[in-house]
Coordinates of all heavy atoms in Angstrom, one line a residue:
M297 N 24.3 -62.6 167.3 CA 23.7 -62.0 166.2 C 24.6 -61.2 165.3 O 24.6 -61.4 164.1 CB 22.6 -61.0 166.8 CG 21.9 -60.2 165.7 SD 21.1 -61.2 164.4 CE 19.5 -61.5 165.2
A298 N 25.5 -60.5 165.9 CA 26.4 -59.6 165.1 C 27.3 -60.5 164.3 O 27.7 -60.1 163.2 CB 27.2 -58.7 166.0
G299 N 27.7 -61.6 164.7 CA 28.6 -62.5 164.0 C 28.0 -63.0 162.7 O 28.7 -63.4 161.8
I300 N 26.7 -63.1 162.6 CA 26.1 -63.6 161.4 C 25.8 -62.6 160.3 O 25.6 -62.9 159.2 CB 24.8 -64.4 161.7 CG1 23.7 -63.4 162.2 CG2 25.0 -65.5 162.7 CD1 22.3 -64.0 162.2
L301 N 25.9 -61.3 160.7 CA 25.5 -60.2 159.7 C 26.3 -60.3 158.4 O 25.7 -60.2 157.3 CB 25.7 -58.9 160.4 CG 24.7 -58.5 161.4 CD1 24.9 -57.1 162.0 CD2 23.3 -58.6 160.8
P302 N 27.7 -60.4 158.5 CA 28.4 -60.5 157.2 C 28.1 -61.7 156.3 O 28.4 -61.7 155.2 CB 29.9 -60.5 157.6 CG 29.9 -59.9 159.0 CD 28.6 -60.4 159.6
N303 N 27.5 -62.7 156.9 CA 27.3 -64.0 156.2 C 25.8 -64.1 155.7 O 25.4 -65.2 155.3 CB 27.6 -65.2 157.1 CG 29.1 -65.1 157.5 OD1 30.0 -64.8 156.6 ND2 29.4 -65.4 158.7
T304 N 25.0 -63.1 155.8 CA 23.6 -63.1 155.3 C 23.3 -61.9 154.5 O 24.1 -61.0 154.4 CB 22.7 -63.1 156.6 OG1 22.7 -61.8 157.1 CG2 23.0 -64.2 157.6
H305 N 22.1 -62.0 153.9 CA 21.6 -60.9 153.1 C 20.5 -60.2 153.9 O 19.7 -59.5 153.3 CB 21.1 -61.4 151.7 CG 22.3 -61.8 150.8 ND1 23.0 -60.9 150.1 CD2 22.8 -63.0 150.6 CE1 24.0 -61.5 149.5 NE2 23.8 -62.8 149.7
L306 N 20.6 -60.2 155.2 CA 19.6 -59.6 156.0 C 19.6 -58.1 155.8 O 20.7 -57.5 155.8 CB 19.9 -59.9 157.5 CG 19.0 -59.4 158.6 CD1 17.7 -60.1 158.5 CD2 19.6 -59.6 159.9
K307 N 18.5 -57.5 155.6 CA 18.4 -56.0 155.2 C 17.8 -55.2 156.4 O 18.2 -54.1 156.5 CB 17.6 -55.8 153.9 CG 18.4 -56.3 152.8 CD 17.7 -55.9 151.5 CE 18.5 -56.4 150.3 NZ 18.0 -55.9 149.0
D308 N 16.9 -55.8 157.2 CA 16.3 -55.1 158.3 C 16.6 -55.8 159.6 O 16.4 -57.0 159.6 CB 14.8 -55.0 158.1 CG 14.4 -54.3 156.8 OD1 15.0 -53.2 156.6 OD2 13.5 -54.7 156.1
L309 N 16.9 -55.1 160.6 CA 17.2 -55.7 161.9 C 16.5 -54.8 163.0 O 16.8 -53.6 163.1 CB 18.7 -55.7 162.1 CG 19.2 -56.3 163.5 CD1 18.8 -57.8 163.6 CD2 20.7 -56.2 163.6
N310 N 15.7 -55.4 163.7 CA 15.0 -54.7 164.8 C 15.5 -55.3 166.1 O 15.1 -56.4 166.5 CB 13.5 -54.9 164.7 CG 12.7 -54.1 165.7 OD1 13.3 -53.6 166.7 ND2 11.5 -53.9 165.5
M311 N 16.3 -54.6 166.8 CA 16.8 -55.0 168.1 C 16.4 -54.0 169.2 O 17.0 -53.9 170.2 CB 18.4 -55.0 168.1 CG 18.9 -56.2 167.2 SD 20.6 -56.5 167.4 CE 20.8 -56.8 169.1
A312 N 15.2 -53.4 169.0 CA 14.6 -52.5 170.0 C 14.4 -53.2 171.3 O 14.0 -54.3 171.3 CB 13.3 -51.9 169.4
Y313 N 14.6 -52.4 172.4 CA 14.3 -52.9 173.8 C 15.1 -54.1 174.2 O 14.6 -54.9 175.0 CB 12.8 -53.1 173.9 CG 11.9 -51.9 173.6 CD1 11.4 -51.7 172.4 CD2 11.8 -50.8 174.5 CE1 10.7 -50.5 172.0 CE2 11.0 -49.7 174.2 CZ 10.5 -49.6 173.0 OH 9.8 -48.4 172.7
N314 N 16.3 -54.3 173.7 CA 17.1 -55.4 174.2 C 18.1 -55.0 175.2 O 18.8 -55.9 175.8 CB 17.8 -56.1 172.9 CG 16.9 -57.0 172.2 OD1 16.6 -58.1 172.7 ND2 16.4 -56.6 171.1
H315 N 18.3 -53.7 175.5 CA 19.2 -53.3 176.5 C 20.6 -53.8 176.4 O 21.2 -54.3 177.3 CB 18.6 -53.6 177.9 CG 17.2 -53.3 178.1 ND1 16.7 -51.9 178.2 CD2 16.0 -54.0 178.1 CE1 15.5 -51.9 178.3 NE2 15.0 -53.1 178.2
I316 N 21.1 -53.7 175.1 CA 22.4 -54.3 174.8 C 23.6 -53.4 175.3 O 24.7 -53.8 175.4 CB 22.6 -54.6 173.4 CG1 22.4 -53.3 172.5 CG2 21.6 -55.7 172.9 CD1 22.7 -53.6 171.0
G317 N 23.3 -52.1 175.6 CA 24.3 -51.2 176.1 C 25.4 -50.9 175.1 O 25.4 -51.3 174.0
D318 N 26.4 -50.2 175.7 CA 27.6 -49.8 174.8 C 28.4 -51.0 174.3 O 28.8 -51.0 173.1 CB 28.5 -48.9 175.6 CG 27.9 -47.6 175.9 OD1 27.2 -47.1 175.1 OD2 28.3 -47.0 177.0
E319 N 28.5 -52.0 175.1 CA 29.3 -53.2 174.6 C 28.5 -54.0 173.5 O 29.1 -54.5 172.5 CB 29.6 -54.1 175.8 CG 30.7 -53.5 176.7 CD 32.0 -53.2 176.0 OE1 32.5 -54.0 175.2 OE2 32.5 -52.1 176.1
G320 N 27.2 -54.1 173.6 CA 26.4 -54.7 172.6 C 26.4 -53.9 171.3 O 26.6 -54.5 170.2
V321 N 26.4 -52.6 171.4 CA 26.5 -51.7 170.2 C 27.8 -51.8 169.6 O 28.0 -51.9 168.3 CB 26.1 -50.3 170.6 CG1 26.4 -49.3 169.4 CG2 24.7 -50.2 170.9
K322 N 28.9 -51.9 170.4 CA 30.2 -52.1 169.9 C 30.3 -53.4 169.1 O 30.9 -53.4 168.0 CB 31.2 -52.1 171.0 CG 32.7 -52.2 170.6 CD 33.6 -52.2 171.8 CE 35.1 -52.3 171.4 NZ 35.9 -52.3 172.6
A323 N 29.8 -54.5 169.6 CA 29.9 -55.8 168.9 C 29.1 -55.7 167.6 O 29.6 -56.2 166.5 CB 29.3 -56.9 169.8
L324 N 28.0 -55.0 167.6 CA 27.1 -54.9 166.3 C 27.9 -54.0 165.4 O 28.0 -54.4 164.2 CB 25.8 -54.3 166.7 CG 24.9 -54.1 165.5 CD1 24.5 -55.4 164.9 CD2 23.6 -53.3 166.0
A325 N 28.5 -52.9 165.8 CA 29.2 -52.0 164.9 C 30.4 -52.7 164.2 O 30.6 -52.4 163.0 CB 29.7 -50.8 165.7
L326 N 31.0 -53.6 164.9 CA 32.2 -54.3 164.3 C 31.8 -55.1 163.1 O 32.6 -55.3 162.2 CB 32.8 -55.2 165.3 CG 33.6 -54.5 166.4 CD1 34.0 -55.5 167.5 CD2 34.8 -53.7 165.9
H327 N 30.5 -55.5 163.0 CA 30.1 -56.3 161.9 C 29.2 -55.6 160.9 O 28.8 -56.2 159.9 CB 29.4 -57.5 162.4 CG 30.2 -58.4 163.3 ND1 31.2 -59.2 162.8 CD2 30.3 -58.4 164.6 CE1 31.8 -59.8 163.8 NE2 31.3 -59.3 164.9
L328 N 29.0 -54.3 161.0 CA 28.1 -53.6 160.1 C 28.7 -53.4 158.7 O 28.1 -53.5 157.7 CB 27.7 -52.3 160.6 CG 26.6 -52.2 161.7 CD1 26.5 -50.8 162.2 CD2 25.4 -52.8 161.1
L329 N 30.0 -53.2 158.6 CA 30.7 -53.0 157.4 C 30.5 -54.0 156.3 O 30.3 -53.7 155.1 CB 32.2 -52.7 157.5 CG 32.5 -51.4 158.3 CD1 34.0 -51.2 158.5 CD2 32.0 -50.2 157.5
G330 N 30.5 -55.3 156.7 CA 30.4 -56.3 155.7 C 29.0 -56.8 155.6 O 28.7 -57.8 154.8
S331 N 28.0 -56.1 156.2 CA 26.6 -56.6 156.1 C 25.8 -55.9 155.0 O 26.3 -54.9 154.4 CB 25.9 -56.3 157.5 OG 25.6 -55.0 157.6
Y332 N 24.6 -56.4 154.8 CA 23.7 -55.8 153.8 C 22.6 -55.0 154.5 O 21.7 -54.6 153.8 CB 23.1 -57.0 153.0 CG 24.0 -57.6 152.0 CD1 24.8 -58.7 152.4 CD2 24.1 -57.2 150.7 CE1 25.7 -59.3 151.5 CE2 25.0 -57.8 149.8 CZ 25.8 -58.8 150.2 OH 26.6 -59.4 149.3
L333 N 22.8 -54.8 155.8 CA 21.7 -54.0 156.5 C 21.5 -52.6 155.9 O 22.4 -51.9 155.6 CB 22.1 -53.8 158.0 CG 21.9 -55.0 158.9 CD1 22.3 -54.6 160.3 CD2 20.5 -55.5 158.9
T334 N 20.2 -52.3 155.7 CA 19.9 -51.0 155.2 C 19.0 -50.3 156.3 O 18.9 -49.1 156.3 CB 19.1 -51.0 153.9 OG1 17.9 -51.8 154.1 CG2 19.9 -51.6 152.8
D335 N 18.4 -51.0 157.2 CA 17.5 -50.5 158.2 C 17.8 -51.2 159.6 O 17.7 -52.4 159.6 CB 16.1 -50.7 157.8 CG 15.0 -50.0 158.7 OD1 15.4 -49.7 159.8 OD2 13.9 -49.9 158.2
C336 N 18.1 -50.4 160.6 CA 18.5 -51.0 161.9 C 17.7 -50.2 163.0 O 17.9 -49.0 163.1 CB 20.0 -50.9 162.1 SG 20.5 -51.8 163.5
N337 N 17.0 -50.9 163.8 CA 16.3 -50.3 164.9 C 17.0 -50.6 166.2 O 17.0 -51.8 166.6 CB 14.9 -50.7 165.0 CG 14.0 -50.0 166.0 OD1 14.6 -49.4 166.9 ND2 12.7 -50.2 166.0
L338 N 17.6 -49.7 166.9 CA 18.3 -49.9 168.1 C 17.7 -49.0 169.2 O 18.3 -48.6 170.2 CB 19.8 -49.5 168.0 CG 20.6 -50.3 167.0 CD1 22.0 -49.8 166.9 CD2 20.6 -51.8 167.5
Q339 N 16.4 -48.8 169.1 CA 15.6 -48.0 170.0 C 15.7 -48.6 171.4 O 15.6 -49.8 171.6 CB 14.2 -47.9 169.6 CG 13.3 -47.1 170.4 CD 11.8 -47.2 169.8 OE1 11.5 -47.8 168.8 NE2 10.9 -46.4 170.4
E340 N 15.8 -47.7 172.5 CA 15.8 -48.1 173.9 C 16.7 -49.3 174.2 O 16.3 -50.3 174.8 CB 14.3 -48.5 174.3 CG 13.3 -47.4 174.2 CD 13.4 -46.4 175.3 OE1 14.0 -46.7 176.3 OE2 12.8 -45.3 175.1
N341 N 18.0 -49.1 173.9 CA 19.0 -50.2 174.2 C 20.0 -49.7 175.3 O 21.0 -50.4 175.5 CB 19.7 -50.6 172.9 CG 19.0 -51.8 172.3 OD1 18.9 -52.8 172.8 ND2 18.3 -51.5 171.2
E342 N 19.7 -48.6 175.9 CA 20.5 -48.1 177.0 C 22.0 -47.9 176.7 O 22.9 -48.1 177.5 CB 20.4 -49.1 178.2 CG 19.0 -49.1 178.7 CD 18.8 -50.1 179.9 OE1 19.8 -50.7 180.4 OE2 17.7 -50.1 180.4
F343 N 22.3 -47.5 175.5 CA 23.7 -47.1 175.2 C 23.9 -45.7 175.2 O 22.9 -44.9 175.1 CB 24.2 -47.7 173.8 CG 23.5 -47.3 172.6 CD1 24.0 -46.2 171.9 CD2 22.4 -48.0 172.1 CE1 23.4 -45.8 170.7 CE2 21.8 -47.6 170.9 CZ 22.3 -46.5 170.2
T344 N 25.1 -45.2 175.4 CA 25.4 -43.8 175.7 C 26.2 -43.3 174.5 O 26.2 -43.9 173.4 CB 26.3 -43.7 176.9 OG1 27.6 -44.3 176.6 CG2 25.7 -44.4 178.1
S345 N 26.8 -42.1 174.7 CA 27.6 -41.5 173.6 C 28.8 -42.3 173.2 O 29.2 -42.3 172.1 CB 28.0 -40.1 174.1 OG 27.0 -39.2 174.2
L346 N 29.2 -43.2 174.1 CA 30.3 -44.1 173.8 C 29.8 -45.1 172.7 O 30.5 -45.3 171.7 CB 30.8 -44.9 175.0 CG 31.9 -45.9 174.8 CD1 33.2 -45.2 174.2 CD2 32.2 -46.6 176.1
G347 N 28.7 -45.7 172.9 CA 28.1 -46.6 171.9 C 27.8 -45.8 170.6 O 28.0 -46.4 169.5
A348 N 27.3 -44.6 170.7 CA 27.0 -43.8 169.5 C 28.4 -43.6 168.7 O 28.4 -43.6 167.5 CB 26.5 -42.5 169.9
T349 N 29.5 -43.4 169.4 CA 30.8 -43.2 168.8 C 31.1 -44.5 168.0 O 31.6 -44.4 166.9 CB 31.9 -42.9 169.8 OG1 31.5 -41.7 170.5 CG2 33.2 -42.7 169.1
Y350 N 30.9 -45.7 168.6 CA 31.2 -46.9 167.9 C 30.4 -47.0 166.6 O 30.9 -47.4 165.6 CB 30.9 -48.2 168.8 CG 31.7 -48.3 170.0 CD1 31.1 -48.7 171.2 CD2 33.1 -48.1 170.0 CE1 31.8 -48.8 172.4 CE2 33.8 -48.3 171.2 CZ 33.2 -48.6 172.4 OH 33.9 -48.8 173.5
L351 N 29.1 -46.7 166.7 CA 28.2 -46.7 165.6 C 28.6 -45.7 164.5 O 28.7 -46.1 163.3 CB 26.8 -46.4 166.0 CG 26.0 -47.5 166.6 CD1 24.6 -47.0 167.0 CD2 25.8 -48.6 165.6
A352 N 29.0 -44.5 164.9 CA 29.4 -43.5 164.0 C 30.7 -43.9 163.2 O 30.7 -43.7 162.0 CB 29.7 -42.2 164.7
Q353 N 31.5 -44.6 163.8 CA 32.8 -45.1 163.1 C 32.4 -46.2 162.1 O 33.1 -46.2 161.1 CB 33.8 -45.6 164.1 CG 34.3 -44.6 165.0 CD 35.1 -45.1 166.2 OE1 35.1 -46.3 166.5 NE2 35.9 -44.2 166.8
A354 N 31.4 -47.0 162.3 CA 31.1 -48.1 161.4 C 30.0 -47.7 160.4 O 30.1 -48.1 159.3 CB 30.6 -49.3 162.2
V355 N 29.0 -47.0 160.8 CA 27.8 -46.8 160.0 C 28.1 -45.9 158.8 O 27.5 -46.1 157.8 CB 26.7 -46.3 160.9 CG1 25.5 -45.9 160.0 CG2 26.3 -47.3 161.9
G356 N 29.0 -45.0 158.9 CA 29.3 -44.1 157.9 C 29.7 -44.8 156.6 O 29.5 -44.2 155.5
E357 N 30.3 -45.9 156.7 CA 30.8 -46.7 155.6 C 29.9 -48.0 155.3 O 30.3 -48.8 154.5 CB 32.2 -47.1 155.7 CG 33.1 -45.9 155.8 CD 34.6 -46.2 156.0 OE1 35.0 -47.3 155.5 OE2 35.3 -45.5 156.7
S358 N 28.8 -48.1 156.0 CA 28.0 -49.2 155.8 C 26.9 -48.9 154.8 O 26.9 -47.9 154.1 CB 27.3 -49.6 157.1 OG 26.3 -48.6 157.4
R359 N 26.0 -49.9 154.6 CA 24.9 -49.7 153.6 C 23.6 -49.2 154.3 O 22.6 -49.0 153.6 CB 24.6 -51.1 153.0 CG 25.7 -51.6 152.2 CD 25.4 -52.9 151.7 NE 26.7 -53.5 151.1 CZ 26.7 -54.5 150.2 NH1 25.6 -55.1 149.8 NH2 27.9 -54.9 149.7
L360 N 23.7 -48.8 155.5 CA 22.5 -48.3 156.2 C 22.0 -47.0 155.6 O 22.7 -46.1 155.2 CB 22.8 -48.0 157.7 CG 22.8 -49.2 158.7 CD1 23.1 -48.8 160.0 CD2 21.5 -49.9 158.7
V361 N 20.7 -47.0 155.5 CA 20.0 -45.7 155.1 C 19.1 -45.2 156.2 O 18.6 -44.1 156.2 CB 19.2 -45.9 153.8 CG1 20.2 -46.1 152.6 CG2 18.2 -47.0 153.9
K362 N 18.7 -46.1 157.2 CA 17.8 -45.7 158.3 C 18.3 -46.4 159.6 O 18.6 -47.6 159.6 CB 16.4 -46.2 158.0 CG 15.4 -45.8 159.0 CD 14.0 -46.2 158.6 CE 13.0 -45.9 159.7 NZ 11.7 -46.4 159.5
L363 N 18.4 -45.6 160.6 CA 18.9 -46.0 161.9 C 18.1 -45.4 163.0 O 18.1 -44.2 163.1 CB 20.4 -45.7 162.1 CG 21.0 -46.0 163.4 CD1 21.1 -47.5 163.6 CD2 22.5 -45.4 163.4
D364 N 17.4 -46.2 163.8 CA 16.6 -45.6 164.9 C 17.4 -45.8 166.2 O 17.6 -46.9 166.6 CB 15.2 -46.4 165.0 CG 14.3 -45.7 166.0 OD1 14.8 -44.9 166.9 OD2 13.1 -46.1 166.0
I365 N 17.8 -44.7 166.8 CA 18.5 -44.8 168.0 C 17.8 -44.0 169.2 O 18.4 -43.6 170.2 CB 20.0 -44.2 167.9 CG1 19.9 -42.7 167.3 CG2 20.8 -45.1 167.0 CD1 21.2 -42.0 167.4
S366 N 16.5 -43.8 169.0 CA 15.7 -43.1 169.9 C 15.7 -43.8 171.3 O 15.8 -45.0 171.3 CB 14.3 -42.8 169.4 OG 13.6 -44.0 169.1
G367 N 15.5 -43.0 172.3 CA 15.4 -43.6 173.7 C 16.6 -44.1 174.3 O 16.6 -44.7 175.3
N368 N 17.8 -43.7 173.8 CA 19.0 -44.1 174.4 C 19.6 -42.9 175.1 O 19.1 -41.8 175.0 CB 20.0 -44.6 173.3 CG 19.6 -46.0 172.8 OD1 19.6 -47.0 173.5 ND2 19.1 -46.0 171.5
K369 N 20.7 -43.1 175.8 CA 21.3 -42.1 176.7 C 22.5 -41.4 176.0 O 23.6 -41.3 176.5 CB 21.8 -42.8 178.0 CG 20.7 -43.5 178.7 CD 21.2 -44.3 179.8 CE 20.1 -45.2 180.5 NZ 20.6 -46.0 181.5
I370 N 22.1 -40.8 174.8 CA 23.2 -40.2 174.0 C 23.1 -38.7 174.2 O 22.1 -38.0 174.0 CB 23.0 -40.5 172.5 CG1 22.9 -42.0 172.3 CG2 24.0 -39.9 171.7 CD1 22.5 -42.4 171.0
C371 N 24.2 -38.1 174.6 CA 24.3 -36.6 174.8 C 24.4 -35.9 173.5 O 24.6 -36.6 172.4 CB 25.4 -36.3 175.8 SG 27.1 -36.5 175.1
S372 N 24.4 -34.6 173.5 CA 24.5 -33.9 172.3 C 25.9 -34.1 171.5 O 25.9 -34.1 170.3 CB 24.4 -32.4 172.5 OG 25.3 -31.9 173.4
T373 N 26.9 -34.4 172.2 CA 28.2 -34.7 171.6 C 28.1 -36.0 170.8 O 28.6 -36.0 169.7 CB 29.4 -34.8 172.6 OG1 29.4 -33.5 173.3 CG2 30.7 -35.0 172.0
G374 N 27.5 -37.0 171.4 CA 27.3 -38.2 170.7 C 26.5 -38.1 169.5 O 26.7 -38.7 168.4
R375 N 25.4 -37.3 169.6 CA 24.5 -37.1 168.4 C 25.2 -36.4 167.3 O 25.1 -36.7 166.2 CB 23.3 -36.3 168.9 CG 22.3 -37.1 169.7 CD 21.0 -36.2 169.9 NE 20.2 -37.0 170.9 CZ 20.1 -36.7 172.2 NH1 20.7 -35.6 172.7 NH2 19.3 -37.4 173.0
F376 N 26.0 -35.4 167.7 CA 26.8 -34.7 166.7 C 27.8 -35.6 165.9 O 27.9 -35.5 164.7 CB 27.6 -33.5 167.3 CG 28.4 -32.8 166.3 CD1 27.9 -31.9 165.4 CD2 29.8 -33.0 166.3 CE1 28.6 -31.2 164.6 CE2 30.6 -32.3 165.4 CZ 30.0 -31.4 164.5
R377 N 28.4 -36.5 166.7 CA 29.4 -37.4 166.0 C 28.6 -38.3 165.0 O 29.1 -38.6 163.9 CB 30.1 -38.3 167.1 CG 31.1 -37.6 167.8 CD 31.8 -38.5 168.8 NE 32.7 -37.7 169.6 CZ 32.9 -38.0 170.9 NH1 32.3 -38.9 171.5 NH2 33.8 -37.2 171.6
M378 N 27.5 -38.8 165.4 CA 26.7 -39.7 164.6 C 26.2 -38.9 163.3 O 26.3 -39.4 162.2 CB 25.5 -40.3 165.3 CG 26.0 -41.2 166.4 SD 24.7 -42.2 167.0 CE 24.4 -43.3 165.6
I379 N 25.7 -37.8 163.5 CA 25.2 -37.0 162.3 C 26.3 -36.6 161.4 O 26.2 -36.7 160.1 CB 24.5 -35.7 162.8 CG1 23.1 -36.1 163.5 CG2 24.2 -34.8 161.7 CD1 22.5 -35.1 164.3
S380 N 27.5 -36.3 161.9 CA 28.6 -35.9 161.1 C 29.2 -37.1 160.3 O 29.5 -36.9 159.2 CB 29.8 -35.3 162.0 OG 29.3 -34.2 162.6
A381 N 29.1 -38.2 160.9 CA 29.7 -39.5 160.3 C 28.7 -40.1 159.3 O 29.2 -40.8 158.4 CB 30.1 -40.5 161.3
M382 N 27.5 -39.7 159.4 CA 26.5 -40.4 158.6 C 25.5 -39.4 157.9 O 24.3 -39.4 158.1 CB 25.6 -41.3 159.5 CG 26.4 -42.4 160.2 SD 25.4 -43.3 161.3 CE 25.4 -42.3 162.7
P383 N 26.0 -38.6 157.0 CA 25.2 -37.6 156.4 C 24.1 -38.2 155.5 O 23.1 -37.5 155.2 CB 26.2 -36.8 155.5 CG 27.3 -37.7 155.3 CD 27.4 -38.6 156.5
N384 N 24.3 -39.4 155.0 CA 23.2 -40.0 154.1 C 22.3 -41.0 154.8 O 21.5 -41.6 154.2 CB 23.9 -40.7 153.0 CG 24.7 -39.8 152.1 OD1 24.3 -38.6 151.9 ND2 25.9 -40.2 151.7
V385 N 22.5 -41.1 156.2 CA 21.7 -42.0 156.9 C 20.6 -41.3 157.6 O 20.8 -40.2 158.3 CB 22.5 -42.8 158.0 CG1 21.6 -43.7 158.8 CG2 23.6 -43.6 157.3
R386 N 19.4 -41.7 157.5 CA 18.2 -41.1 158.2 C 18.2 -41.6 159.7 O 18.0 -42.8 159.9 CB 16.9 -41.4 157.6 CG 15.7 -40.6 158.1 CD 14.5 -40.9 157.3 NE 14.3 -42.3 157.1 CZ 13.2 -42.8 156.7 NH1 12.1 -42.1 156.6 NH2 13.1 -44.1 156.5
I387 N 18.5 -40.7 160.6 CA 18.5 -41.1 162.1 C 17.3 -40.6 162.8 O 16.8 -39.5 162.6 CB 19.8 -40.4 162.7 CG1 21.0 -40.9 162.0 CG2 19.8 -40.8 164.2 CD1 22.3 -40.3 162.5

């Protein structure tokens, strides 16, 4: 899925409850910069603060305006990194 993001005009992606973990989030984050995604649902995917760090590094410069990361295993440090990196993204 992540490999097709830069080659489409997909704006909404719902990957809730897929249990992709940190490695899946890392793969997705690598392809966010070249994508047209504005809304991404990653609810209940069992990723941790490590996955949140991958997202924070990519999402801050992406086109996302809404990101659902509820129900994941992200500690307060991971949440802080995401909020700091994405001041214009509704989390």
Side-chain angles (χ1 to χ4, degrees):
M297 174 59 85
I300 67 167
L301 289 178
N303 299 318
T304 69
H305 289 278
L306 184 68
K307 291 186 178 186
D308 298 320
L309 179 64
N310 185 343
M311 291 191 58
Y313 302 96
N314 279 287
H315 310 287
I316 61 174
D318 291 328
E319 289 303 310
V321 169
K322 181 180 180 180
L324 180 64
L326 289 172
H327 298 283
L328 281 177
L329 290 176
S331 78
Y332 288 88
L333 280 182
T334 57
D335 188 339
C336 187
N337 184 347
L338 296 175
Q339 180 182 4
E340 297 283 345
N341 270 290
E342 298 181 358
F343 63 91
T344 67
S345 291
L346 179 61
T349 300
Y350 296 138
L351 280 175
Q353 291 170 346
V355 173
E357 297 179 31
S358 73
R359 298 175 188 200
L360 277 180
V361 292
K362 184 178 175 190
L363 176 64
D364 187 344
I365 56 168
S366 60
N368 289 290
K369 303 170 185 177
I370 304 169
C371 70
S372 58
T373 303
R375 286 188 187 102
F376 177 76
R377 285 184 187 141
M378 292 194 70
I379 292 167
S380 297
M382 301 176 277
N384 298 322
V385 177
R386 186 174 49 160
I387 300 173

